[in-house]
Amino acid sequence: MLSARPLRILVVDDDPAMVGAITALVGTEGHQVITAYDGLTAVKRFREEAPDLVLLDLAMPGPDGFTVAGQMRAAGQAPIVVVSGESAEEAKVRALGIGADDYLVKPFGRQELLARIAAVMRRADRALAGAGTAGAGGSDGGATGHLEAGSLVLDPGRHEARVADHRLDLTPTEYRLLEILARAGGDLVPHLRLARAGWPGDANPDLLWLKPHLARLRKKVSDAGGPSIVAIRAVGYRLELD
């Protein structure tokens, strides 16, 4: 099964045959499909139907998939898997940078599609479970359970991070990346270790995912007056602590 619970999946593609094929594939796993054939309808359905997951093509009438992904990410946190015939690295980086959680190139096999869906849902479910442990009595780094790194203060139980009185608006993946950097105390964290922390549901996470997520995270922390996230070329990242 893709998930332990039934999913409501929004499938967005201007090709009815592709929508039908995806609907048939995920339908055999017991999940409900919501369809959209253009960008405007896709965003409307996302806001009205609150799907658990989005499978999104990039080329379509109206707003393209990049624009749609950005609008969806601003409206909610449901995982977005781009399903596109565009295989260029530039498109993948751009989509992930806007907020997509994964990128699947057409044509794809049934098992690959189901595996990608399962992976993003595991990450989303684990993030929700982690946030739900707040106040359960766990401790992480002192009596308060807080983790401090310079001006950053993280609460692992709540998956929250602050700089002074400013609460950072982080996605679950961004929080996991920030937490492992904070735990390193300014030391270098290699790319692979970061990727495994950011995407714990994947045995072999794609290192390509790191750059756009860390770029967004760096801006959020910097805009709040927090420490810089420094990239060490071809090696990894670290926090610049005073």
Side-chain angles (χ1 to χ4, degrees):
M1 291 291 291
L2 303 184
S3 173
R5 59 187 173 87
L7 301 177
R8 300 176 72 252
I9 301 176
L10 174 58
V11 178
V12 185
D13 199 302
D14 65 345
D15 181 358
M18 178 58 66
V19 172
I22 294 176
T23 298
L25 287 177
V26 301
T28 61
E29 298 293 321
H31 304 294
Q32 178 185 351
V33 170
I34 306 158
T35 60
Y37 298 91
D38 62 78
L40 289 175
T41 304
V43 175
K44 183 173 183 289
R45 294 272 169 85
F46 182 85
R47 289 172 174 161
E48 292 177 350
E49 302 287 347
D52 299 302
L53 172 76
V54 180
L55 300 178
L56 174 67
D57 190 19
L58 292 178
M60 68 184 77
D64 64 16
F66 296 111
T67 302
V68 170
Q71 291 178 356
M72 287 180 174
R73 183 52 66 236
Q77 293 300 319
I80 300 171
V81 178
V82 169
V83 182
S84 173
E86 177 57 68
S87 61
E89 180 176 323
E90 180 181 357
K92 296 179 183 179
V93 171
R94 183 181 175 192
L96 293 168
I98 289 170
D101 296 270
D102 201 355
Y103 195 108
L104 178 61
V105 178
K106 303 175 184 176
F108 50 83
R110 175 180 182 275
Q111 293 303 319
E112 182 179 11
L113 173 64
L114 297 181
R116 296 294 185 108
I117 292 173
V120 296
M121 291 310 302
R122 278 197 304 271
R123 295 197 295 265
D125 289 345
R126 286 178 181 179
L128 287 173
T133 62
S139 176
D140 201 335
T144 64
H146 291 174
L147 173 66
E148 297 185 10
S151 57
L152 272 172
V153 179
L154 283 75
D155 184 341
R158 294 181 178 273
H159 271 220
E160 291 181 355
R162 294 179 178 274
V163 175
D165 293 329
H166 181 82
R167 181 176 178 273
L168 301 179
D169 182 17
L170 304 179
T171 67
T173 298
E174 290 167 354
Y175 177 84
R176 290 192 293 268
L177 293 172
L178 184 59
E179 181 177 344
I180 194 171
L181 287 167
R183 289 188 183 281
D187 291 340
L188 176 74
V189 182
H191 287 142
L192 184 57
R193 186 179 169 203
L194 271 166
R196 285 176 173 167
W199 293 270
D202 286 308
N204 296 295
D206 192 337
L207 299 186
L208 182 65
W209 299 340
L210 281 174
K211 186 174 181 180
H213 282 81
L214 282 163
R216 290 200 307 272
L217 177 60
R218 178 189 290 121
K219 185 177 188 307
K220 290 179 181 181
V221 175
S222 176
D223 286 352
S228 299
I229 298 175
V230 180
I232 308 302
R233 185 176 177 83
V235 181
Y237 291 80
R238 66 181 179 83
L239 285 179
E240 186 71 59
L241 301 177
D242 296 334

